[in-house]
Amino acid sequence: MKKIILVLCICVGSLSSAQVLNKSWKAITEMKEGPWFSSPEAKAIAENVLLYQRNIGGWPKNIQMQKSLSETEKKKLLAEKDSTDEITIDNGATYQEMVFLSKMYRQNPDERYQKAFLLGLDYLLKAQYANGGWPQYFPKKKGYYTHITFNDDAMANLLFMFKELKDKSDYFAIKPSDALVNQIKVAFDKGIDCILKTQYKQNNTLTAWCAQHDEVTLLPAKARAYELPSLSGKESAKIVLLLMSIENPSPEIIQAVKSAVTWFEITKITNLKEERILNDAGKIIDKKMITTENAEPIWARFMELDTNEPFFCDRDGIKKKTIEEIGSERRNGYAWYTNEPKEVLKKYPNWLKKIQTEEPKKKTNNH
C-alpha cells in the first residue's frame, strides 16, 4: 500500500509542475509559497526574470516569464539591459516580478534574487511623483501614461507591498535595511495622501476614483479612447481595501472608506447577469447582459462623474448606455463589469466595528 501511495504522489507532483508552467505569469506569481519555488522549473523561470530586468530596476509588461528562451533571445535581453524603454508598473509589471523573486528567495537564498528585488524597490521609489502617485511608465512616456495610475490596481498593489515592507511583516522574504524602510514609510504615506486627495467629490460628497488621474490637477483623466474620465467600480475596490488595511487610520482615511462604501452601495447592480458565449475552443465570442431578478451584485467599470450612470465606449470614444451598442471587438475584449467591491462590502462591517471600538480609546489616550 505504501508503494502505491508513493507512486501516486510522484505522479501528482510531476503533474503539478506541468500544470504550473501552463498557468499565466500572473497566476504563477500569485501561487501560495511552498516547495515548488525550490524546483528546477521555478529556478529556470527565475533566471528569465533576472534576464528581463533592466539595469534601471524595472521590467517591461506582458511577458510570460515562464516561457523558455532561446540563446538568441537571451543575448538580445542582455544587450537591452541598459535600455529604459517600456519599463512600467502597468498590467502588474515590476510588482509581479518582485513578488516572485521574494517567494524564490525564501526557498533559495540566492543573493541575485535579493539584489534584483532591492533594485526593483529603488526603481519604484524613484518613479513616485512628489504628490505620491505613480506614472504608468518610468522614465515617463509621453501621453496619458504620465497620469497617476490606479488602472488594474497598479498603484494599490505597490502600496500594499510598501505596507508589508514598512511594517516589517513576514510577507516578503527579502528585508530592506532600516534606512530603506524609512524611505518606504515616507513613500507609503505620500501614496495614501495622494489617494485621499484624488477621491472624487460629487456635489461636494466623496465618492470613488477614476482608473487614472491627472498628475497635476489630480482630477479624473482620459486614457485610451474608450477609457474616459469616470468613476471606476473596479479600481476603486482595491484602493478601499488598502485604506481598510491601515492600522489606526486617521479621520480622513475613515471618512474616505465610509464614503466609498456608501457609493458602492448606491451603484451596485442587482438585476443584471453576464452571459458569455464560447466557441468550441473555449474562447469568448460574445457577451450579453441578461436581466435577472436578485442577481449577484456587480458594478460597472465606468460610471458618469456626476450621475453614476454606467457607460460603455468603443474605440471611437462615443459613450453608449449598454455593451450591446458597442462593437464585438471591445464588447468581448474588455472587462466592462466587476464584482470586486463585494470584498469591500464583506469586510466593511468588521472594519467598522474595529474602528468604533478603537475611537473611544483614542479619545481617552488624548486626554
Side-chain angles (χ1 to χ4, degrees), residues 122-308:
D122 182 65
Y123 166 80
L124 294 176
L125 289 168
K126 286 177 179 173
Q128 189 180 30
Y129 284 134
N131 63 22
W134 271 270
Q136 196 175 118
Y137 288 81
F138 182 79
K140 287 189 289 184
K141 184 176 176 181
K142 288 181 180 179
Y144 69 83
Y145 310 104
T146 61
H147 294 328
I148 293 166
T149 305
F150 295 129
N151 191 48
D152 290 330
D153 303 328
M155 185 164 149
N157 284 336
L158 299 188
L159 289 173
F160 265 115
M161 176 165 64
F162 279 19
K163 182 179 184 298
E164 298 292 347
L165 293 170
K166 80 177 182 66
D167 291 348
K168 297 185 178 180
S169 77
D170 197 42
Y171 188 86
F172 289 96
I174 297 165
K175 309 299 181 186
S177 66
D178 288 343
L180 196 50
V181 167
N182 288 334
Q183 289 184 54
I184 293 166
K185 284 179 180 177
V186 172
F188 179 82
D189 290 343
K190 284 167 59 180
I192 297 302
D193 186 54
C194 179
I195 284 173
L196 296 177
K197 286 178 178 174
T198 49
Q199 188 172 18
Y200 187 74
K201 278 190 175 180
Q202 188 183 88
N203 299 322
N204 218 32
T205 300
L206 288 170
T207 57
W209 292 263
C210 185
Q212 53 282 317
H213 286 248
D214 185 276
E215 66 275 21
V216 177
T217 67
L218 304 185
L219 291 171
K222 178 184 175 183
R224 289 173 287 190
Y226 51 90
E227 295 171 328
L228 302 178
S230 58
L231 295 175
S232 170
K234 180 187 185 302
E235 279 78 8
S236 297
K238 194 69 173 279
I239 292 170
V240 179
L241 288 173
L242 170 67
L243 295 177
M244 288 169 69
S245 74
I246 296 171
E247 293 293 327
N248 301 310
S250 66
E252 291 79 12
I253 291 172
I254 293 171
Q255 184 58 50
V257 171
K258 287 180 176 180
S259 299
V261 167
T262 299
W263 182 82
F264 283 138
E265 290 286 6
I266 290 169
T267 57
K268 69 182 177 183
I269 300 165
T270 56
N271 65 344
L272 283 180
K273 188 176 181 181
E274 184 181 274
E275 182 181 283
R276 297 183 176 189
I277 301 168
L278 310 178
N279 61 16
D280 293 339
K283 186 179 178 183
I284 298 171
I285 56 174
D286 203 8
K287 285 182 191 175
K288 292 181 179 178
M289 300 307 296
I290 309 298
T291 301
T292 307
E293 224 176 293
N294 299 319
E296 285 292 309
I298 56 173
W299 287 259
R301 182 82 175 259
F302 299 95
M303 298 181 225
E304 294 283 7
L305 292 170
D306 296 326
T307 65
N308 300 323

